[in-house]
Amino acid sequence: SQTIHQWPATLVQPVGSPLSLECTVEGTSNPNLYWYRQAAGRGLQLLFYSVGIGQISSEVPQNLSASRPQDRQFILSSKKLLLSDSGFYLCALTGTDSNQPQHFGDGTRLSIL
Amino acid sequence: QKEVEQDPGPLSVPEGAIVSLNCTYSNSAFQYFMWYRQYSRKGPELLMYTYSSGNKEDGRFTAQVDKSSKYISLFIRDSQPSDSATYLCAMRGGSYIPTFGRGTSLIVHP
């Protein structure tokens, strides 16, 4: 079965510091991968998605970036964090059949101080 | 008007009650409909996935889609305190990227 690993589970960072969040998946090949941010009371905001290695689509212009160096690895980064980057970051996938629904990892809760 | 509307609640019910959670939408192109359950500090977990109109049942959960009214529902029978969570509806058309509701917080008290 498909499994999504995200780490760390919780992260506290100062404003202006860099960020790297990693998502790795198991149990599937060539998945579509997604990064979402969930802010309290604001629902899920799609940040990036990737249909293959090196292929990234950005949904929201901001100081975050994403990379997909390997088929089952998706990384969310920032060079300088802002207070507004606080939130719950979720990685999701759909398998090779894109008609199937998304499955989510357990997320990283990011607090910016 | 948002594409998907979902009452945030909270919805508080006694244990054993039948719970009805609902979403309305405006995009007639939506064909695939999903319900997710999200516990605090966890990622959303897929509960139900349906295509087009009709009902789908899985244990205590029933998903209902009425495309003519652009209205979907999730029913939970014999609700338990462990059902206390946020329930997110999601839907999509031809694109593989879904549109999510903001979620309804459900509290089932003993």
Side-chain angles (χ1 to χ4, degrees), chain A residues 2 100-104, chain B residues 33-38 43-50 56 58 88 90 100:
Chain A
Q2 300 166 345
Q100 291 303 305
Q102 291 179 333
H103 294 272
F104 288 83
Chain B
F33 303 92
M34 294 142 279
W35 285 97
Y36 289 86
R37 177 176 63 196
Q38 186 176 20
E45 171 195 11
L46 181 69
L47 278 180
M48 302 289 278
Y49 177 54
T50 57
K56 182 176 181 178
D58 184 0
L88 299 159
F100 286 85

mmCIF file with all atom_site columns, all heavy atoms in Angstrom, chain A residues 2 100-104, chain B residues 33-38 43-50 56 58 88 90 100:
data_model
loop_
_atom_site.group_PDB
_atom_site.id
_atom_site.type_symbol
_atom_site.label_atom_id
_atom_site.label_alt_id
_atom_site.label_comp_id
_atom_site.label_asym_id
_atom_site.label_entity_id
_atom_site.label_seq_id
_atom_site.pdbx_PDB_ins_code
_atom_site.Cartn_x
_atom_site.Cartn_y
_atom_site.Cartn_z
_atom_site.occupancy
_atom_site.B_iso_or_equiv
_atom_site.pdbx_formal_charge
_atom_site.auth_seq_id
_atom_site.auth_comp_id
_atom_site.auth_asym_id
_atom_site.auth_atom_id
_atom_site.pdbx_PDB_model_num
ATOM 1   N N   . GLN A 1 2   ? 0.288   2.358  -0.400 1.00 0.00 ? 2   GLN A N   1
ATOM 2   C CA  . GLN A 1 2   ? 1.042   3.606  -0.502 1.00 0.00 ? 2   GLN A CA  1
ATOM 3   C C   . GLN A 1 2   ? 1.253   4.205  0.886  1.00 0.00 ? 2   GLN A C   1
ATOM 4   O O   . GLN A 1 2   ? 0.332   4.252  1.696  1.00 0.00 ? 2   GLN A O   1
ATOM 5   C CB  . GLN A 1 2   ? 0.277   4.583  -1.376 1.00 0.00 ? 2   GLN A CB  1
ATOM 6   C CG  . GLN A 1 2   ? 0.046   4.074  -2.790 1.00 0.00 ? 2   GLN A CG  1
ATOM 7   C CD  . GLN A 1 2   ? -0.980  4.890  -3.542 1.00 0.00 ? 2   GLN A CD  1
ATOM 8   O OE1 . GLN A 1 2   ? -1.717  5.658  -2.949 1.00 0.00 ? 2   GLN A OE1 1
ATOM 9   N NE2 . GLN A 1 2   ? -1.041  4.728  -4.853 1.00 0.00 ? 2   GLN A NE2 1
ATOM 10  N N   . GLN A 1 100 ? -7.699  8.370  -9.254 1.00 0.00 ? 100 GLN A N   1
ATOM 11  C CA  . GLN A 1 100 ? -7.807  8.010  -7.850 1.00 0.00 ? 100 GLN A CA  1
ATOM 12  C C   . GLN A 1 100 ? -7.634  9.243  -6.973 1.00 0.00 ? 100 GLN A C   1
ATOM 13  O O   . GLN A 1 100 ? -6.997  10.220 -7.359 1.00 0.00 ? 100 GLN A O   1
ATOM 14  C CB  . GLN A 1 100 ? -6.767  6.948  -7.504 1.00 0.00 ? 100 GLN A CB  1
ATOM 15  C CG  . GLN A 1 100 ? -7.065  5.607  -8.142 1.00 0.00 ? 100 GLN A CG  1
ATOM 16  C CD  . GLN A 1 100 ? -8.435  5.088  -7.747 1.00 0.00 ? 100 GLN A CD  1
ATOM 17  O OE1 . GLN A 1 100 ? -8.752  4.954  -6.562 1.00 0.00 ? 100 GLN A OE1 1
ATOM 18  N NE2 . GLN A 1 100 ? -9.267  4.797  -8.741 1.00 0.00 ? 100 GLN A NE2 1
ATOM 19  N N   . PRO A 1 101 ? -8.229  9.223  -5.771 1.00 0.00 ? 101 PRO A N   1
ATOM 20  C CA  . PRO A 1 101 ? -8.149  10.404 -4.899 1.00 0.00 ? 101 PRO A CA  1
ATOM 21  C C   . PRO A 1 101 ? -6.771  10.571 -4.279 1.00 0.00 ? 101 PRO A C   1
ATOM 22  O O   . PRO A 1 101 ? -5.955  9.654  -4.293 1.00 0.00 ? 101 PRO A O   1
ATOM 23  C CB  . PRO A 1 101 ? -9.186  10.093 -3.815 1.00 0.00 ? 101 PRO A CB  1
ATOM 24  C CG  . PRO A 1 101 ? -9.213  8.605  -3.752 1.00 0.00 ? 101 PRO A CG  1
ATOM 25  C CD  . PRO A 1 101 ? -9.011  8.142  -5.175 1.00 0.00 ? 101 PRO A CD  1
ATOM 26  N N   . GLN A 1 102 ? -6.541  11.738 -3.734 1.00 0.00 ? 102 GLN A N   1
ATOM 27  C CA  . GLN A 1 102 ? -5.282  12.017 -3.066 1.00 0.00 ? 102 GLN A CA  1
ATOM 28  C C   . GLN A 1 102 ? -5.234  11.329 -1.700 1.00 0.00 ? 102 GLN A C   1
ATOM 29  O O   . GLN A 1 102 ? -6.239  11.205 -1.010 1.00 0.00 ? 102 GLN A O   1
ATOM 30  C CB  . GLN A 1 102 ? -5.112  13.525 -2.880 1.00 0.00 ? 102 GLN A CB  1
ATOM 31  C CG  . GLN A 1 102 ? -4.892  14.285 -4.165 1.00 0.00 ? 102 GLN A CG  1
ATOM 32  C CD  . GLN A 1 102 ? -4.748  15.768 -3.929 1.00 0.00 ? 102 GLN A CD  1
ATOM 33  O OE1 . GLN A 1 102 ? -5.278  16.303 -2.963 1.00 0.00 ? 102 GLN A OE1 1
ATOM 34  N NE2 . GLN A 1 102 ? -4.039  16.455 -4.816 1.00 0.00 ? 102 GLN A NE2 1
ATOM 35  N N   . HIS A 1 103 ? -4.004  10.943 -1.342 1.00 0.00 ? 103 HIS A N   1
ATOM 36  C CA  . HIS A 1 103 ? -3.733  10.454 -0.001 1.00 0.00 ? 103 HIS A CA  1
ATOM 37  C C   . HIS A 1 103 ? -2.685  11.367 0.620  1.00 0.00 ? 103 HIS A C   1
ATOM 38  O O   . HIS A 1 103 ? -1.780  11.833 -0.066 1.00 0.00 ? 103 HIS A O   1
ATOM 39  C CB  . HIS A 1 103 ? -3.231  9.007  -0.047 1.00 0.00 ? 103 HIS A CB  1
ATOM 40  C CG  . HIS A 1 103 ? -4.270  8.056  -0.539 1.00 0.00 ? 103 HIS A CG  1
ATOM 41  N ND1 . HIS A 1 103 ? -5.178  7.446  0.300  1.00 0.00 ? 103 HIS A ND1 1
ATOM 42  C CD2 . HIS A 1 103 ? -4.566  7.625  -1.789 1.00 0.00 ? 103 HIS A CD2 1
ATOM 43  C CE1 . HIS A 1 103 ? -5.982  6.675  -0.413 1.00 0.00 ? 103 HIS A CE1 1
ATOM 44  N NE2 . HIS A 1 103 ? -5.637  6.769  -1.673 1.00 0.00 ? 103 HIS A NE2 1
ATOM 45  N N   . PHE A 1 104 ? -2.843  11.594 1.928  1.00 0.00 ? 104 PHE A N   1
ATOM 46  C CA  . PHE A 1 104 ? -2.018  12.585 2.602  1.00 0.00 ? 104 PHE A CA  1
ATOM 47  C C   . PHE A 1 104 ? -1.072  11.954 3.614  1.00 0.00 ? 104 PHE A C   1
ATOM 48  O O   . PHE A 1 104 ? -1.371  10.919 4.219  1.00 0.00 ? 104 PHE A O   1
ATOM 49  C CB  . PHE A 1 104 ? -2.907  13.591 3.343  1.00 0.00 ? 104 PHE A CB  1
ATOM 50  C CG  . PHE A 1 104 ? -3.636  14.543 2.440  1.00 0.00 ? 104 PHE A CG  1
ATOM 51  C CD1 . PHE A 1 104 ? -4.826  14.180 1.845  1.00 0.00 ? 104 PHE A CD1 1
ATOM 52  C CD2 . PHE A 1 104 ? -3.122  15.808 2.187  1.00 0.00 ? 104 PHE A CD2 1
ATOM 53  C CE1 . PHE A 1 104 ? -5.500  15.058 1.003  1.00 0.00 ? 104 PHE A CE1 1
ATOM 54  C CE2 . PHE A 1 104 ? -3.782  16.694 1.351  1.00 0.00 ? 104 PHE A CE2 1
ATOM 55  C CZ  . PHE A 1 104 ? -4.980  16.322 0.750  1.00 0.00 ? 104 PHE A CZ  1
ATOM 56  N N   . PHE B 2 33  ? -16.137 12.894 -6.064 1.00 0.00 ? 33  PHE B N   1
ATOM 57  C CA  . PHE B 2 33  ? -16.450 13.490 -4.769 1.00 0.00 ? 33  PHE B CA  1
ATOM 58  C C   . PHE B 2 33  ? -15.828 12.665 -3.653 1.00 0.00 ? 33  PHE B C   1
ATOM 59  O O   . PHE B 2 33  ? -15.898 11.432 -3.670 1.00 0.00 ? 33  PHE B O   1
ATOM 60  C CB  . PHE B 2 33  ? -17.971 13.582 -4.580 1.00 0.00 ? 33  PHE B CB  1
ATOM 61  C CG  . PHE B 2 33  ? -18.648 14.358 -5.676 1.00 0.00 ? 33  PHE B CG  1
ATOM 62  C CD1 . PHE B 2 33  ? -19.140 13.714 -6.805 1.00 0.00 ? 33  PHE B CD1 1
ATOM 63  C CD2 . PHE B 2 33  ? -18.770 15.736 -5.585 1.00 0.00 ? 33  PHE B CD2 1
ATOM 64  C CE1 . PHE B 2 33  ? -19.744 14.426 -7.834 1.00 0.00 ? 33  PHE B CE1 1
ATOM 65  C CE2 . PHE B 2 33  ? -19.373 16.457 -6.609 1.00 0.00 ? 33  PHE B CE2 1
ATOM 66  C CZ  . PHE B 2 33  ? -19.862 15.806 -7.738 1.00 0.00 ? 33  PHE B CZ  1
ATOM 67  N N   . MET B 2 34  ? -15.227 13.342 -2.709 1.00 0.00 ? 34  MET B N   1
ATOM 68  C CA  . MET B 2 34  ? -14.485 12.681 -1.649 1.00 0.00 ? 34  MET B CA  1
ATOM 69  C C   . MET B 2 34  ? -14.833 13.279 -0.298 1.00 0.00 ? 34  MET B C   1
ATOM 70  O O   . MET B 2 34  ? -15.165 14.465 -0.195 1.00 0.00 ? 34  MET B O   1
ATOM 71  C CB  . MET B 2 34  ? -12.977 12.848 -1.872 1.00 0.00 ? 34  MET B CB  1
ATOM 72  C CG  . MET B 2 34  ? -12.467 12.131 -3.114 1.00 0.00 ? 34  MET B CG  1
ATOM 73  S SD  . MET B 2 34  ? -11.181 13.068 -3.989 1.00 0.00 ? 34  MET B SD  1
ATOM 74  C CE  . MET B 2 34  ? -12.179 14.228 -4.921 1.00 0.00 ? 34  MET B CE  1
ATOM 75  N N   . TRP B 2 35  ? -14.739 12.441 0.718  1.00 0.00 ? 35  TRP B N   1
ATOM 76  C CA  . TRP B 2 35  ? -14.809 12.878 2.103  1.00 0.00 ? 35  TRP B CA  1
ATOM 77  C C   . TRP B 2 35  ? -13.558 12.413 2.819  1.00 0.00 ? 35  TRP B C   1
ATOM 78  O O   . TRP B 2 35  ? -13.158 11.245 2.695  1.00 0.00 ? 35  TRP B O   1
ATOM 79  C CB  . TRP B 2 35  ? -16.043 12.321 2.796  1.00 0.00 ? 35  TRP B CB  1
ATOM 80  C CG  . TRP B 2 35  ? -17.315 13.016 2.396  1.00 0.00 ? 35  TRP B CG  1
ATOM 81  C CD1 . TRP B 2 35  ? -18.219 12.605 1.458  1.00 0.00 ? 35  TRP B CD1 1
ATOM 82  C CD2 . TRP B 2 35  ? -17.822 14.240 2.930  1.00 0.00 ? 35  TRP B CD2 1
ATOM 83  N NE1 . TRP B 2 35  ? -19.247 13.503 1.372  1.00 0.00 ? 35  TRP B NE1 1
ATOM 84  C CE2 . TRP B 2 35  ? -19.036 14.516 2.275  1.00 0.00 ? 35  TRP B CE2 1
ATOM 85  C CE3 . TRP B 2 35  ? -17.382 15.122 3.917  1.00 0.00 ? 35  TRP B CE3 1
ATOM 86  C CZ2 . TRP B 2 35  ? -19.803 15.638 2.557  1.00 0.00 ? 35  TRP B CZ2 1
ATOM 87  C CZ3 . TRP B 2 35  ? -18.145 16.247 4.201  1.00 0.00 ? 35  TRP B CZ3 1
ATOM 88  C CH2 . TRP B 2 35  ? -19.354 16.492 3.519  1.00 0.00 ? 35  TRP B CH2 1
ATOM 89  N N   . TYR B 2 36  ? -12.957 13.343 3.554  1.00 0.00 ? 36  TYR B N   1
ATOM 90  C CA  . TYR B 2 36  ? -11.785 13.040 4.350  1.00 0.00 ? 36  TYR B CA  1
ATOM 91  C C   . TYR B 2 36  ? -12.099 13.322 5.822  1.00 0.00 ? 36  TYR B C   1
ATOM 92  O O   . TYR B 2 36  ? -12.846 14.241 6.143  1.00 0.00 ? 36  TYR B O   1
ATOM 93  C CB  . TYR B 2 36  ? -10.595 13.927 3.945  1.00 0.00 ? 36  TYR B CB  1
ATOM 94  C CG  . TYR B 2 36  ? -9.998  13.617 2.600  1.00 0.00 ? 36  TYR B CG  1
ATOM 95  C CD1 . TYR B 2 36  ? -10.526 14.178 1.432  1.00 0.00 ? 36  TYR B CD1 1
ATOM 96  C CD2 . TYR B 2 36  ? -8.884  12.784 2.484  1.00 0.00 ? 36  TYR B CD2 1
ATOM 97  C CE1 . TYR B 2 36  ? -9.967  13.910 0.189  1.00 0.00 ? 36  TYR B CE1 1
ATOM 98  C CE2 . TYR B 2 36  ? -8.318  12.517 1.243  1.00 0.00 ? 36  TYR B CE2 1
ATOM 99  C CZ  . TYR B 2 36  ? -8.864  13.081 0.110  1.00 0.00 ? 36  TYR B CZ  1
ATOM 100 O OH  . TYR B 2 36  ? -8.301  12.813 -1.116 1.00 0.00 ? 36  TYR B OH  1
ATOM 101 N N   . ARG B 2 37  ? -11.478 12.560 6.675  1.00 0.00 ? 37  ARG B N   1
ATOM 102 C CA  . ARG B 2 37  ? -11.544 12.803 8.121  1.00 0.00 ? 37  ARG B CA  1
ATOM 103 C C   . ARG B 2 37  ? -10.150 13.218 8.579  1.00 0.00 ? 37  ARG B C   1
ATOM 104 O O   . ARG B 2 37  ? -9.156  12.576 8.224  1.00 0.00 ? 37  ARG B O   1
ATOM 105 C CB  . ARG B 2 37  ? -11.970 11.516 8.860  1.00 0.00 ? 37  ARG B CB  1
ATOM 106 C CG  . ARG B 2 37  ? -12.009 11.623 10.380 1.00 0.00 ? 37  ARG B CG  1
ATOM 107 C CD  . ARG B 2 37  ? -12.536 10.329 10.980 1.00 0.00 ? 37  ARG B CD  1
ATOM 108 N NE  . ARG B 2 37  ? -11.659 9.196  10.685 1.00 0.00 ? 37  ARG B NE  1
ATOM 109 C CZ  . ARG B 2 37  ? -12.013 7.931  10.822 1.00 0.00 ? 37  ARG B CZ  1
ATOM 110 N NH1 . ARG B 2 37  ? -13.232 7.608  11.249 1.00 0.00 ? 37  ARG B NH1 1
ATOM 111 N NH2 . ARG B 2 37  ? -11.158 6.953  10.533 1.00 0.00 ? 37  ARG B NH2 1
ATOM 112 N N   . GLN B 2 38  ? -10.105 14.268 9.384  1.00 0.00 ? 38  GLN B N   1
ATOM 113 C CA  . GLN B 2 38  ? -8.818  14.762 9.866  1.00 0.00 ? 38  GLN B CA  1
ATOM 114 C C   . GLN B 2 38  ? -8.860  14.935 11.378 1.00 0.00 ? 38  GLN B C   1
ATOM 115 O O   . GLN B 2 38  ? -9.595  15.775 11.900 1.00 0.00 ? 38  GLN B O   1
ATOM 116 C CB  . GLN B 2 38  ? -8.453  16.101 9.196  1.00 0.00 ? 38  GLN B CB  1
ATOM 117 C CG  . GLN B 2 38  ? -7.063  16.582 9.554  1.00 0.00 ? 38  GLN B CG  1
ATOM 118 C CD  . GLN B 2 38  ? -6.666  17.851 8.815  1.00 0.00 ? 38  GLN B CD  1
ATOM 119 O OE1 . GLN B 2 38  ? -7.507  18.588 8.313  1.00 0.00 ? 38  GLN B OE1 1
ATOM 120 N NE2 . GLN B 2 38  ? -5.369  18.078 8.711  1.00 0.00 ? 38  GLN B NE2 1
ATOM 121 N N   . GLY B 2 43  ? -2.779  14.292 9.214  1.00 0.00 ? 43  GLY B N   1
ATOM 122 C CA  . GLY B 2 43  ? -3.194  14.574 7.859  1.00 0.00 ? 43  GLY B CA  1
ATOM 123 C C   . GLY B 2 43  ? -4.593  14.045 7.583  1.00 0.00 ? 43  GLY B C   1
ATOM 124 O O   . GLY B 2 43  ? -5.086  13.165 8.294  1.00 0.00 ? 43  GLY B O   1
ATOM 125 N N   . PRO B 2 44  ? -5.257  14.574 6.558  1.00 0.00 ? 44  PRO B N   1
ATOM 126 C CA  . PRO B 2 44  ? -6.589  14.058 6.189  1.00 0.00 ? 44  PRO B CA  1
ATOM 127 C C   . PRO B 2 44  ? -6.493  12.596 5.746  1.00 0.00 ? 44  PRO B C   1
ATOM 128 O O   . PRO B 2 44  ? -5.564  12.203 5.044  1.00 0.00 ? 44  PRO B O   1
ATOM 129 C CB  . PRO B 2 44  ? -6.996  14.965 5.026  1.00 0.00 ? 44  PRO B CB  1
ATOM 130 C CG  . PRO B 2 44  ? -6.167  16.198 5.176  1.00 0.00 ? 44  PRO B CG  1
ATOM 131 C CD  . PRO B 2 44  ? -4.880  15.729 5.749  1.00 0.00 ? 44  PRO B CD  1
ATOM 132 N N   . GLU B 2 45  ? -7.498  11.837 6.169  1.00 0.00 ? 45  GLU B N   1
ATOM 133 C CA  . GLU B 2 45  ? -7.587  10.424 5.842  1.00 0.00 ? 45  GLU B CA  1
ATOM 134 C C   . GLU B 2 45  ? -8.813  10.216 4.960  1.00 0.00 ? 45  GLU B C   1
ATOM 135 O O   . GLU B 2 45  ? -9.923  10.633 5.322  1.00 0.00 ? 45  GLU B O   1
ATOM 136 C CB  . GLU B 2 45  ? -7.721  9.627  7.137  1.00 0.00 ? 45  GLU B CB  1
ATOM 137 C CG  . GLU B 2 45  ? -8.029  8.161  6.979  1.00 0.00 ? 45  GLU B CG  1
ATOM 138 C CD  . GLU B 2 45  ? -8.490  7.551  8.299  1.00 0.00 ? 45  GLU B CD  1
ATOM 139 O OE1 . GLU B 2 45  ? -8.757  8.290  9.267  1.00 0.00 ? 45  GLU B OE1 1
ATOM 140 O OE2 . GLU B 2 45  ? -8.622  6.321  8.346  1.00 0.00 ? 45  GLU B OE2 1
ATOM 141 N N   . LEU B 2 46  ? -8.637  9.571  3.811  1.00 0.00 ? 46  LEU B N   1
ATOM 142 C CA  . LEU B 2 46  ? -9.752  9.359  2.899  1.00 0.00 ? 46  LEU B CA  1
ATOM 143 C C   . LEU B 2 46  ? -10.781 8.413  3.508  1.00 0.00 ? 46  LEU B C   1
ATOM 144 O O   . LEU B 2 46  ? -10.457 7.312  3.930  1.00 0.00 ? 46  LEU B O   1
ATOM 145 C CB  . LEU B 2 46  ? -9.247  8.783  1.571  1.00 0.00 ? 46  LEU B CB  1
ATOM 146 C CG  . LEU B 2 46  ? -10.308 8.543  0.510  1.00 0.00 ? 46  LEU B CG  1
ATOM 147 C CD1 . LEU B 2 46  ? -10.863 9.872  -0.006 1.00 0.00 ? 46  LEU B CD1 1
ATOM 148 C CD2 . LEU B 2 46  ? -9.730  7.730  -0.649 1.00 0.00 ? 46  LEU B CD2 1
ATOM 149 N N   . LEU B 2 47  ? -12.032 8.878  3.543  1.00 0.00 ? 47  LEU B N   1
ATOM 150 C CA  . LEU B 2 47  ? -13.135 8.046  4.052  1.00 0.00 ? 47  LEU B CA  1
ATOM 151 C C   . LEU B 2 47  ? -13.967 7.455  2.925  1.00 0.00 ? 47  LEU B C   1
ATOM 152 O O   . LEU B 2 47  ? -14.282 6.273  2.933  1.00 0.00 ? 47  LEU B O   1
ATOM 153 C CB  . LEU B 2 47  ? -14.064 8.888  4.926  1.00 0.00 ? 47  LEU B CB  1
ATOM 154 C CG  . LEU B 2 47  ? -13.697 9.143  6.374  1.00 0.00 ? 47  LEU B CG  1
ATOM 155 C CD1 . LEU B 2 47  ? -14.776 10.006 7.022  1.00 0.00 ? 47  LEU B CD1 1
ATOM 156 C CD2 . LEU B 2 47  ? -13.542 7.831  7.129  1.00 0.00 ? 47  LEU B CD2 1
ATOM 157 N N   . MET B 2 48  ? -14.367 8.318  2.004  1.00 0.00 ? 48  MET B N   1
ATOM 158 C CA  . MET B 2 48  ? -15.284 7.892  0.945  1.00 0.00 ? 48  MET B CA  1
ATOM 159 C C   . MET B 2 48  ? -14.881 8.549  -0.365 1.00 0.00 ? 48  MET B C   1
ATOM 160 O O   . MET B 2 48  ? -14.449 9.704  -0.382 1.00 0.00 ? 48  MET B O   1
ATOM 161 C CB  . MET B 2 48  ? -16.727 8.276  1.280  1.00 0.00 ? 48  MET B CB  1
ATOM 162 C CG  . MET B 2 48  ? -17.257 7.724  2.583  1.00 0.00 ? 48  MET B CG  1
ATOM 163 S SD  . MET B 2 48  ? -17.532 5.957  2.504  1.00 0.00 ? 48  MET B SD  1
ATOM 164 C CE  . MET B 2 48  ? -19.125 5.905  1.705  1.00 0.00 ? 48  MET B CE  1
ATOM 165 N N   . TYR B 2 49  ? -15.078 7.820  -1.451 1.00 0.00 ? 49  TYR B N   1
ATOM 166 C CA  . TYR B 2 49  ? -14.759 8.329  -2.788 1.00 0.00 ? 49  TYR B CA  1
ATOM 167 C C   . TYR B 2 49  ? -15.862 7.861  -3.725 1.00 0.00 ? 49  TYR B C   1
ATOM 168 O O   . TYR B 2 49  ? -16.095 6.669  -3.853 1.00 0.00 ? 49  TYR B O   1
ATOM 169 C CB  . TYR B 2 49  ? -13.405 7.784  -3.219 1.00 0.00 ? 49  TYR B CB  1
ATOM 170 C CG  . TYR B 2 49  ? -12.964 8.169  -4.607 1.00 0.00 ? 49  TYR B CG  1
ATOM 171 C CD1 . TYR B 2 49  ? -12.929 9.500  -4.991 1.00 0.00 ? 49  TYR B CD1 1
ATOM 172 C CD2 . TYR B 2 49  ? -12.541 7.200  -5.514 1.00 0.00 ? 49  TYR B CD2 1
ATOM 173 C CE1 . TYR B 2 49  ? -12.497 9.859  -6.257 1.00 0.00 ? 49  TYR B CE1 1
ATOM 174 C CE2 . TYR B 2 49  ? -12.110 7.543  -6.780 1.00 0.00 ? 49  TYR B CE2 1
ATOM 175 C CZ  . TYR B 2 49  ? -12.089 8.881  -7.148 1.00 0.00 ? 49  TYR B CZ  1
ATOM 176 O OH  . TYR B 2 49  ? -11.663 9.240  -8.395 1.00 0.00 ? 49  TYR B OH  1
ATOM 177 N N   . THR B 2 50  ? -16.545 8.803  -4.340 1.00 0.00 ? 50  THR B N   1
ATOM 178 C CA  . THR B 2 50  ? -17.658 8.436  -5.213 1.00 0.00 ? 50  THR B CA  1
ATOM 179 C C   . THR B 2 50  ? -17.535 9.172  -6.538 1.00 0.00 ? 50  THR B C   1
ATOM 180 O O   . THR B 2 50  ? -16.937 10.253 -6.631 1.00 0.00 ? 50  THR B O   1
ATOM 181 C CB  . THR B 2 50  ? -19.010 8.792  -4.574 1.00 0.00 ? 50  THR B CB  1
ATOM 182 O OG1 . THR B 2 50  ? -19.018 10.198 -4.264 1.00 0.00 ? 50  THR B OG1 1
ATOM 183 C CG2 . THR B 2 50  ? -19.242 8.022  -3.298 1.00 0.00 ? 50  THR B CG2 1
ATOM 184 N N   . LYS B 2 56  ? -23.240 5.767  -1.646 1.00 0.00 ? 56  LYS B N   1
ATOM 185 C CA  . LYS B 2 56  ? -22.223 4.748  -1.398 1.00 0.00 ? 56  LYS B CA  1
ATOM 186 C C   . LYS B 2 56  ? -22.124 4.523  0.096  1.00 0.00 ? 56  LYS B C   1
ATOM 187 O O   . LYS B 2 56  ? -22.044 5.484  0.851  1.00 0.00 ? 56  LYS B O   1
ATOM 188 C CB  . LYS B 2 56  ? -20.873 5.176  -1.970 1.00 0.00 ? 56  LYS B CB  1
ATOM 189 C CG  . LYS B 2 56  ? -19.773 4.140  -1.793 1.00 0.00 ? 56  LYS B CG  1
ATOM 190 C CD  . LYS B 2 56  ? -18.501 4.600  -2.463 1.00 0.00 ? 56  LYS B CD  1
ATOM 191 C CE  . LYS B 2 56  ? -17.396 3.573  -2.321 1.00 0.00 ? 56  LYS B CE  1
ATOM 192 N NZ  . LYS B 2 56  ? -16.151 4.010  -3.015 1.00 0.00 ? 56  LYS B NZ  1
ATOM 193 N N   . ASP B 2 58  ? -20.298 2.481  3.427  1.00 0.00 ? 58  ASP B N   1
ATOM 194 C CA  . ASP B 2 58  ? -19.145 1.745  3.928  1.00 0.00 ? 58  ASP B CA  1
ATOM 195 C C   . ASP B 2 58  ? -19.253 1.705  5.441  1.00 0.00 ? 58  ASP B C   1
ATOM 196 O O   . ASP B 2 58  ? -18.932 2.688  6.116  1.00 0.00 ? 58  ASP B O   1
ATOM 197 C CB  . ASP B 2 58  ? -17.842 2.413  3.488  1.00 0.00 ? 58  ASP B CB  1
ATOM 198 C CG  . ASP B 2 58  ? -16.612 1.625  3.900  1.00 0.00 ? 58  ASP B CG  1
ATOM 199 O OD1 . ASP B 2 58  ? -16.751 0.547  4.524  1.00 0.00 ? 58  ASP B OD1 1
ATOM 200 O OD2 . ASP B 2 58  ? -15.491 2.066  3.590  1.00 0.00 ? 58  ASP B OD2 1
ATOM 201 N N   . LEU B 2 88  ? -13.609 16.942 5.880  1.00 0.00 ? 88  LEU B N   1
ATOM 202 C CA  . LEU B 2 88  ? -13.391 17.762 4.698  1.00 0.00 ? 88  LEU B CA  1
ATOM 203 C C   . LEU B 2 88  ? -14.058 17.108 3.497  1.00 0.00 ? 88  LEU B C   1
ATOM 204 O O   . LEU B 2 88  ? -13.852 15.924 3.241  1.00 0.00 ? 88  LEU B O   1
ATOM 205 C CB  . LEU B 2 88  ? -11.890 17.885 4.402  1.00 0.00 ? 88  LEU B CB  1
ATOM 206 C CG  . LEU B 2 88  ? -11.002 18.530 5.467  1.00 0.00 ? 88  LEU B CG  1
ATOM 207 C CD1 . LEU B 2 88  ? -9.565  18.121 5.274  1.00 0.00 ? 88  LEU B CD1 1
ATOM 208 C CD2 . LEU B 2 88  ? -11.141 20.026 5.403  1.00 0.00 ? 88  LEU B CD2 1
ATOM 209 N N   . ALA B 2 90  ? -14.250 17.151 -0.701 1.00 0.00 ? 90  ALA B N   1
ATOM 210 C CA  . ALA B 2 90  ? -13.392 17.530 -1.819 1.00 0.00 ? 90  ALA B CA  1
ATOM 211 C C   . ALA B 2 90  ? -14.048 17.039 -3.097 1.00 0.00 ? 90  ALA B C   1
ATOM 212 O O   . ALA B 2 90  ? -14.762 16.030 -3.102 1.00 0.00 ? 90  ALA B O   1
ATOM 213 C CB  . ALA B 2 90  ? -11.995 16.948 -1.658 1.00 0.00 ? 90  ALA B CB  1
ATOM 214 N N   . PHE B 2 100 ? -11.159 21.671 -2.237 1.00 0.00 ? 100 PHE B N   1
ATOM 215 C CA  . PHE B 2 100 ? -11.562 21.241 -0.899 1.00 0.00 ? 100 PHE B CA  1
ATOM 216 C C   . PHE B 2 100 ? -12.497 22.251 -0.254 1.00 0.00 ? 100 PHE B C   1
ATOM 217 O O   . PHE B 2 100 ? -12.364 23.464 -0.450 1.00 0.00 ? 100 PHE B O   1
ATOM 218 C CB  . PHE B 2 100 ? -10.332 21.083 0.005  1.00 0.00 ? 100 PHE B CB  1
ATOM 219 C CG  . PHE B 2 100 ? -9.501  19.879 -0.293 1.00 0.00 ? 100 PHE B CG  1
ATOM 220 C CD1 . PHE B 2 100 ? -8.524  19.924 -1.277 1.00 0.00 ? 100 PHE B CD1 1
ATOM 221 C CD2 . PHE B 2 100 ? -9.671  18.693 0.412  1.00 0.00 ? 100 PHE B CD2 1
ATOM 222 C CE1 . PHE B 2 100 ? -7.752  18.814 -1.569 1.00 0.00 ? 100 PHE B CE1 1
ATOM 223 C CE2 . PHE B 2 100 ? -8.906  17.579 0.136  1.00 0.00 ? 100 PHE B CE2 1
ATOM 224 C CZ  . PHE B 2 100 ? -7.939  17.647 -0.861 1.00 0.00 ? 100 PHE B CZ  1
#
